[in-house]
Amino acid sequence: MGDMANNSVAYGGVKNSLKEANHDGDFGITLAELRALMELRSTDALRKIQESYGDVYGICARLKTSPNEVCGDVSVGEEEGEGETGWIEGAAILLSVVCVVLVTAFNDWSKEKQFRGLQSRIEQEQKFTVIRGGQVIQIPVADITVGDIAQVKYGDLLPADGILIQGNDLKIDESSLTGESDHVKKSLDKDPLLLSGTHVMEGSGRMVVTAVGINSQTGIIFTLLGAGGEEEEKKDEKKKEKKNKKQDGAIENRNKAKAQDGAAMEMQPLKSEEGGDGDEKDKKKANLPKKEKSVLQGKLTKLAVQIGKAGLLMSAITVIILVLYFVIDTFWVQKRPWLAECTPIYIQYFVKFFIIGVTVLVVAVPEGLPLAVTISLAYSVKKMMKDNNLVRHLDACETMGNATAICSDKTGTLTMNRMTVVQAYINEKHYKKIPDPEAIPPSILSYLVTGISVNCAYTSKILPPEKEGGLPRHVGNKTECALLGFLLDLKRDYQDVRNEIPEEALYKVYTFNSVRKSMSTVLKNSDGSYRIFSKGASEIILKKCFKILSANGEAKVFRPRDRDDIVKTVIEPMASEGLRTICLAFRDFPAGEPEPEWDNENDIVTGLTCIAVVGIEDPVRPEVPDAIKKCQRAGITVRMVTGDNINTARAIATKCGILHPGEDFLCLEGKDFNRRIRNEKGEIEQERIDKIWPKLRVLARSSPTDKHTLVKGIIDSTVSEQRQVVAVTGDGTNDGPALKKADVGFAMGIAGTDVAKEASDIILTDDNFTSIVKAVMWGRNVYDSISKFLQFQLTVNVVAVIVAFTGACITQDSPLKAVQMLWVNLIMDTLASLALATEPPTESLLLRKPYGRNKPLISRTMMKNILGHAFYQLVVVFTLLFAGEKFFDIDSGRNAPLHAPPSEHYTIVFNTFVLMQLFNEINARKIHGERNVFEGIFNNAIFCTIVLGTFVVQIIIVQFGGKPFSCSELSIEQWLWSIFLGMGTLLWGQLISTIPTSRLKFLKEAGHGTQKEEIPEEELAEDVEEIDHAERELRRGQILWFRGLNRIQTQMDVVNAFQSGSSIQGALRRQPSIASQHHDIRVVNAFRSSLYEGLEKPESRSSIHNFMTHPEFRIEDSEPHIPLIDDTDAEDDAPTKRNSSPPPSPNKNNNAVDSGIYLTIEMNKSATSSSPGSPLHSLETSL
C-alpha cells in the first residue's frame, strides 16, 4: 500500500475516467464491464476475455484502438469540474499587534502556497510512455486515457490498469496490491491483466489501457480509503457502545440515525479504550520524522526562556518600585489622606504604572525571534528553489548549515548519469578511445551493429536534444543507451536494423536481471537456423565464450589462458580507471539440428563467440571536484556510498577529490564493512563502527541496510566531542530508511522514486552534488541571519529596558511611552527581522568549520558588540534625559503632570533612540568582528528599503504624530543632532571592533545548545506543551499501563503475602511456584521501571517511542530473592543481604514503584498492620 499511497498522484486524475452516461453508446464495451473484468485474476480473466471478446484484440477493437500503434479517437469526458485622545493609545497598540499577526500569517500562507505549487509540479512531472499515431511519446500520467497503448518496461510503476498485448519475459511485483511477495509472471496465454500501482520487475511489453483514475484498481482502493475512515470510526463507536450498553442505549440509536442519514461523520483521532492498534500506528507514523528539535530551535527556545524570565523580573520590579514610590511619597512624605473622591485619580496612576511595567516587559521579550526565524527560513527556502533545492521540511534548511558529514550516492549525483563507451577491445586491439569505423573489419562491424541494435530493449533509444546545443536525450536503460551511442559514434544507425527486425520478429528474449547479469536475444533466420546475441558483465560472458573474432574477422579458439590474458591486459586496466566492462558475443544454431530447449537458458547461452569488450563510464560531473573541495574546506567530510564495485568507486572518488593519493583513508566493500562492525554473534557494535567511520571515505557494493547502518553509526557515535550532523543522498525506494535516519535527507528529483522523496527533507531538482553545497551555504546563512538579528534585538532590549526602568524609578514616568515602545518594537522585531534575515549568502560562509550543536548562539564577540553598543546608547539617552533641556534650551519633560501635552524634550530622547537603532541595524550586519559593515549592503534590496522606509515613517511620526505618539514637532537643528548621535553608533562600532575579544575575560556566551545531561526540570514541564497529540496520547497510554501493572502487582503482593504461610520453608515447600511468581513480578517491574526510565531519561524524551522500538528488558535468572522474616534477621544476615539485595534503582523518582520487586514479609506482626516492611506497606508505597 505504501507505494500506492505515494503514487496517489497517478490516480488523482478523475478527469480521465470515462463518463458512463455520455459514452456507453460510442463503444462496444461499458465502463462497468471493464471494471468487472479487471477485478478478475489470471485464468478467470482469460476465460472471461475469450468468452466475451474473443481476445485482447477484440477488446481493442471495441475500444476503437489499434493495438499496433494508433491511440483510438477516444473522446474523454472532462469533469468541470483620553478624553478625546484616550482611544488612540489602545488603537495604536491594537494596530501594531495586527501588523505583527498579519505578517506572520502572510508568511505561513505564502509558505503553504509555495508547497502546494511544488506538489502540483511534482505531480505533473510524472510521465509515462504511450504510442499514439504511430509515435512513441511520453505524456503526463494524468493524460493517459482508456484505449491508449502503453509501453511498459523494467522499473516502471504502472499508472493505470490494462491488458497485455505483447510481452517479453514480463514479471510484475503485485505486493502493493495483493500482498503476494513473489513476482507474478505475465503472459498472453496465462495472466494478461496488469494492475495500476504495481511495479514491473523484469522484462518489457505493451498493454492496452482499460481503466484509469478512480476506476483503476488502485483508484478503487483510494475511494475505499476515503470512506474507510468513517467505517473505522463507526466500528470504533460500536466497540464503545458495547461497553456502554449497560448504561445507556441512546448512543446506538443516535449512531443508527447517523448511519441512515449517511451523514459523513467528522473524522476524530481514534482513541480506543484498549489503547487501540490504529492509534499506536498513527503515533508511530507521527513520530517517524526526527523528533529531536533542530539545533537552532533548541538554542532559541533556551535563549527565549532566559530573556523572558529576565524581562518579567524587570517589569515586576519596575511596577513595585513605582507603586511604592508613589504611595510613600503621597501618603507618607506629603501626609495626604486617601480621599474617596480622589480614588479614580489614584487608580489612574496605578494603571499608568502597570502600563509602564507592561511596556518594559514588551520591550524585554523578543517577540520578533520566532518571526525572524520563520522569515529567514521561508526566504531561504524560496531562494533555494532557484538553487535546485526543494525544501520539504523547513528546519532541514538550517540543520544543513551544521552538517559535518555528507554520505553521497555516486550515480547521478557525483557523476552525470549518462553512460558513455570510452574504450573498446575489438579485433584483438585495445582502443583507448572510440576507434575509426574503417579500422574495424566489416564482418565484425556487422555483428556489432546487429547485436547491439537487436539485443538492447527496444524501449532504449537516443533522441535528439530538447534544446539546441544540448546533449542527445537517453531514454531507457543507461547502459544500453551507451552501447547505442557507441554505434552512432561508429557512424552506424541502429534504427535501420530495428526497422528491418521489429520487436515482434524477435524469437525469444532473455531480459536482463540482477541474477543473470546478462541479456540475450534469439533471432530466427529465413533458412531455419537461429542466432543468439548476448551481452552482459564481462566476467560472466567471457566464461561462456569458446571463440573470439580475430583481427581479420574470423572466429578463432578462445582458451582459458587467452581469457586470463584479456582479463589482465584489458578488463583490469579498464576497471582500475572506473569503467564498467561489457562483453558482446553471439552464437549460431545451424538449421539441420533439432530445435534447442529454449527454456533451458544455461545450455543456450554458452559456447559463445566474443565480438568485443567495451568499457563504459559514467563521467564525473565537471563541477563536482570543485564542490567537494569547498565542502572539505568548510569542515564537511564527504563519503561515497555506492552499489558499484570497489575499483570503479575508488577511481571515481579519486577523480572527485574524495580520495587523495597517499592519504590514509579506508575504501571498503559492504561485505568487509559488515565483517568489521559485527561481533561473533553477528550483532552490530557501536565501538567497532567508531573505529571505522572516521577514516572511511568509500563504501562500495553496499546494500541500503549498510547505508542505514553507517548513517546511524555516525549519528550515534560519541568519539568526537560534537555529535555529528549527517546529510544523506538517495534515490531508490530502498534508500528510504537511511534518508529518514539522517539529520537531512536529500532525494533526487529526477531519478528519485516517490518513496525516497517522501522520506527526504530536501529534494534536489537537478540531482547535482553542487546543489548540496548551496544548501550548506543557505543553512549557515540562516544561522548567521538569526545571530545578526539577535545581536541587534538584544542591544535594543538592554537599552530600552534599562531606560524604561531607570526613567520610571527616577522620574515616575517612562521616557519612552507605550506607543513609542511599540513602534520601537515594530522596527526592531518585525522590520529588522525582515531586513537582517534576508541577507544573501556569500562564499565566505564556506571558509569556516560548522558551528556544532553546543556552540552558543551569542558568541563572545557578539556579547562584546551588544554590551558595547548598549553602553554608548545608554550614555546618550541618559545625557539627553537629564541634561538635554539645558543643551537644547527647551522645557524639561521630567515630572510632567498626568495628562500633560507631549514635550520636545522627550521627543528628542525618543527620536535619537530610534535613529541609534537604525544605524545600529547596519552594525548588526556583521557578527564576527569584521570592520566593513557596509560590505555587500546593496546586494540586499530589502535591507536598504526597510532602513529608508523606517526613517521616512519616523519623520512622519515625529513631525505629525502629535498626541497619539506623544511627540511634538522638532526643528531642523534638533533633527541634525539626533542624526549625528545616531551615526555615532557606526563610529563607536569601529572602536569596539578594535578591542580584542580575548582580553575581555568577563564576557559570557549565551544560547548554548541543549545538552542531554542538563535539561532543567522546568523545561520538562515546558516540553509537555510542545509534544504533539500523538505523544500526549502515548503518555496517556503509558499511564494506563502503569495503573494496570500496579494493580497486577498489588494483587500479586497480597497473594504472595497470604501464601507465604507461617514459615518460609513451609511456604516454599507448599508453594513451589512462589519463585516463578517472584520472577513474574520481576518481569512486570522490569517492564514498568524501564518505561518509567524511558520517561525520565532526558535522551529518550526526544522520542517517547523508544520503549516501543527497543523492548529489551534484561531479566536475570538469578536465585529468587527470599524475603527476610524480620529486620533483626536482616542485620544478622548481613552477608546474605548483601548478596541478594537489589541493585540501587537507577530510577530515583520511582523507588516507591521499584520497591515492589522485593517483597518484605513479616509474619509475627498482624497482616493488617501497615508497619514499614509489611506487605501492605509495600502495597501502599507502590500504589
Side-chain angles (χ1 to χ4, degrees), residues 809-1100:
C809 297
I810 296 171
T811 66
Q812 279 73 67
D813 185 9
S814 168
L816 300 169
K817 302 289 178 286
V819 178
Q820 294 176 347
M821 279 295 203
L822 277 159
W823 166 234
V824 169
N825 227 17
L826 191 72
I827 309 180
M828 66 187 199
D829 280 5
T830 318
L831 300 175
S833 64
L834 248 178
L836 291 168
T838 51
E839 286 274 310
T842 57
E843 288 280 335
S844 61
L845 288 168
L846 294 175
L847 298 177
R848 61 170 175 78
K849 299 277 179 276
Y851 280 141
R853 291 185 165 258
N854 309 331
K855 174 100 165 52
L857 261 177
I858 298 169
S859 62
R860 290 179 58 196
T861 310
M862 286 168 64
M863 196 57 97
K864 176 184 78 176
N865 292 343
I866 291 169
L867 297 177
H869 284 295
F871 173 74
Y872 170 81
Q873 294 185 13
L874 284 170
V875 169
V876 171
V877 169
F878 283 136
T879 309
L880 288 175
L881 190 59
F882 297 112
E885 73 272 26
K886 299 191 186 83
F887 182 78
F888 287 108
D889 193 21
I890 47 177
D891 296 333
S892 167
R894 297 192 300 281
N895 304 324
L898 195 60
H899 289 303
S903 65
E904 275 185 84
H905 181 198
Y906 271 19
T907 307
I908 291 176
V909 173
F910 164 61
N911 197 26
T912 309
F913 178 70
V914 168
L915 290 174
M916 283 194 297
Q917 305 322 325
L918 265 185
F919 285 106
N920 192 32
E921 203 166 319
I922 299 173
N923 273 330
R925 292 182 66 247
K926 301 292 173 198
I927 51 173
H928 299 300
E930 299 93 329
R931 280 191 175 280
N932 183 2
V933 291
F934 291 100
E935 185 192 353
I937 193 165
F938 295 115
N939 296 343
N940 188 356
I942 300 178
F943 185 87
C944 301
T945 314
I946 285 175
V947 170
L948 290 173
T950 313
F951 186 57
V952 170
V953 176
Q954 177 65 15
I955 294 173
I956 295 169
I957 287 176
V958 170
Q959 297 303 97
F960 310 106
K963 189 80 196 266
F965 280 95
S966 312
C967 288
S968 76
E969 291 181 40
L970 298 182
S971 67
I972 292 285
E973 188 193 351
Q974 290 164 338
W975 264 104
L976 289 173
W977 272 109
S978 298
I979 293 172
F980 170 72
L981 290 169
M983 287 182 76
T985 55
L986 291 174
L987 301 171
W988 183 254
Q990 293 301 313
L991 191 67
I992 291 175
S993 55
T994 12
I995 306 169
T997 313
S998 50
R999 291 281 174 84
L1000 308 172
K1001 296 276 186 259
F1002 62 88
L1003 286 179
K1004 290 277 182 287
E1005 302 161 320
H1008 285 266
T1010 316
Q1011 261 138 19
K1012 289 189 174 177
E1013 307 79 68
E1014 43 153 63
I1015 293 175
E1017 289 301 315
E1018 62 265 32
E1019 264 211 298
L1020 268 174
E1022 210 181 47
D1023 272 4
V1024 174
E1025 287 309 303
E1026 292 175 22
I1027 289 169
D1028 59 10
H1029 292 293
E1031 292 235 356
R1032 209 165 287 158
E1033 283 299 308
L1034 193 49
R1035 291 206 170 170
R1036 204 174 293 157
Q1038 281 182 325
I1039 291 160
L1040 286 174
W1041 257 109
F1042 298 156
R1043 282 187 196 149
L1045 289 166
N1046 249 328
R1047 282 175 196 159
I1048 294 171
Q1049 194 210 337
T1050 308
Q1051 286 160 2
M1052 283 178 157
D1053 288 4
V1054 174
V1055 168
N1056 282 335
F1058 288 113
Q1059 280 181 343
S1060 38
S1062 55
S1063 82
I1064 283 181
Q1065 282 81 3
L1068 287 174
R1069 237 190 345 271
R1070 281 195 311 278
Q1071 281 288 342
S1073 70
I1074 200 165
S1076 69
Q1077 280 168 348
H1078 269 289
H1079 198 262
D1080 292 350
I1081 296 170
R1082 205 176 310 147
V1083 171
V1084 167
N1085 275 282
F1087 181 43
R1088 190 181 49 187
S1089 66
S1090 90
L1091 284 186
Y1092 268 116
E1093 281 168 42
L1095 269 179
E1096 289 303 316
K1097 267 192 235 153
E1099 57 262 41
S1100 67

Side-chain angles (χ1 to χ4, degrees), residues 236-506:
D236 205 51
E237 293 276 339
K238 277 184 186 146
K239 274 186 196 166
K240 288 183 183 172
E241 277 160 38
K242 279 178 193 161
K243 289 183 187 167
N244 302 338
K245 247 184 191 162
K246 293 166 194 166
Q247 303 162 6
D248 192 1
I251 304 173
E252 198 167 348
N253 303 336
R254 194 163 63 241
N255 243 36
K256 274 183 189 162
K258 265 197 180 173
Q260 286 158 2
D261 233 12
M265 295 174 69
E266 216 174 292
M267 291 284 286
Q268 293 168 336
L270 301 174
K271 294 178 190 161
S272 61
E273 279 153 41
E274 307 90 81
D277 291 344
D279 224 19
E280 300 295 309
K281 273 184 204 151
D282 283 354
K283 282 162 211 151
K284 275 201 169 168
K285 218 186 240 172
N287 270 343
L288 265 180
K290 305 155 199 62
K291 259 325 280 174
E292 222 175 293
K293 270 188 196 164
S294 79
V295 186
L296 189 63
Q297 278 173 332
K299 291 179 182 179
L300 284 174
T301 309
K302 204 168 173 189
L303 191 67
V305 169
Q306 290 167 347
I307 295 173
K309 284 179 187 164
L312 201 60
L313 190 70
M314 288 295 275
S315 68
I317 293 172
T318 312
V319 174
I320 292 166
I321 288 178
L322 284 172
V323 171
L324 285 176
Y325 190 99
F326 175 75
V327 170
I328 291 168
D329 185 55
T330 309
F331 303 118
W332 190 274
V333 179
Q334 298 180 20
K335 300 212 165 38
R336 289 187 185 173
W338 183 294
L339 299 172
E341 58 268 29
C342 293
T343 305
I345 295 175
Y346 296 146
I347 288 174
Q348 273 191 330
Y349 268 107
F350 289 139
V351 167
K352 177 182 165 186
F353 298 151
F354 179 70
I355 287 180
I356 292 172
V358 170
T359 308
V360 172
L361 178 63
V362 164
V363 172
V365 176
E367 302 90 341
L369 207 49
L371 188 65
V373 177
T374 313
I375 289 177
S376 188
L377 287 174
Y379 171 76
S380 305
V381 166
K382 212 174 174 65
K383 291 289 185 193
M384 281 168 83
M385 259 311 289
K386 290 183 182 157
D387 285 338
N388 303 308
N389 281 286
L390 191 160
V391 181
R392 294 181 69 245
H393 301 136
L394 268 186
D395 56 350
C397 155
E398 160 261 314
T399 311
M400 202 50 217
N402 289 300
T404 54
I406 297 174
C407 294
S408 173
D409 262 359
K410 176 179 76 72
T411 312
T413 314
L414 299 173
T415 59
M416 291 172 73
N417 200 10
R418 281 182 71 88
M419 288 301 207
T420 319
V421 173
V422 286
Q423 295 186 20
Y425 177 80
I426 308 177
N427 60 7
E428 298 185 300
K429 268 197 204 136
H430 184 179
Y431 296 95
K432 291 283 185 176
K433 51 181 196 284
I434 304 290
D436 197 29
E438 278 74 52
I440 303 171
S443 57
I444 297 184
L445 202 53
S446 118
Y447 281 126
L448 203 56
V449 173
T450 315
I452 292 176
S453 306
V454 172
N455 193 29
C456 285
Y458 278 46
T459 47
S460 300
K461 47 173 86 66
I462 295 179
L463 302 176
E466 278 175 342
K467 296 187 194 113
E468 261 187 57
L471 294 164
R473 284 177 299 149
H474 286 187
V475 178
N477 181 293
K478 302 284 182 291
T479 309
E480 294 186 337
C481 287
L483 292 171
L484 296 172
F486 177 49
L487 289 188
L488 297 177
D489 291 340
L490 292 173
K491 315 279 189 292
R492 297 290 181 274
D493 189 5
Y494 65 88
Q495 199 54 53
D496 297 344
V497 181
R498 289 187 173 181
N499 294 342
E500 200 180 306
I501 309 171
E503 197 171 0
E504 295 78 41
L506 304 180

Side-chain angles (χ1 to χ4, degrees), residues 425 518 520 532-549 555-564 566-567 571 582-588 602-613:
Y425 177 80
S518 68
S520 307
I532 180 169
F533 284 103
S534 220
K535 71 165 193 298
S538 53
E539 63 273 19
I540 290 173
I541 299 286
L542 277 179
K543 280 184 188 153
K544 299 179 178 177
C545 286
F546 293 175
K547 290 182 180 172
I548 188 165
L549 293 178
K556 67 171 194 179
V557 178
F558 186 57
R559 290 185 292 277
R561 192 176 64 239
D562 303 333
R563 185 187 317 131
D564 296 343
I566 285 193
V567 168
I571 292 173
I582 301 280
C583 179
L584 304 163
F586 75 98
R587 176 185 179 185
D588 284 325
N602 290 341
D603 291 349
I604 304 289
V605 186
T606 186
L608 304 171
T609 304
C610 174
I611 306 170
V613 176

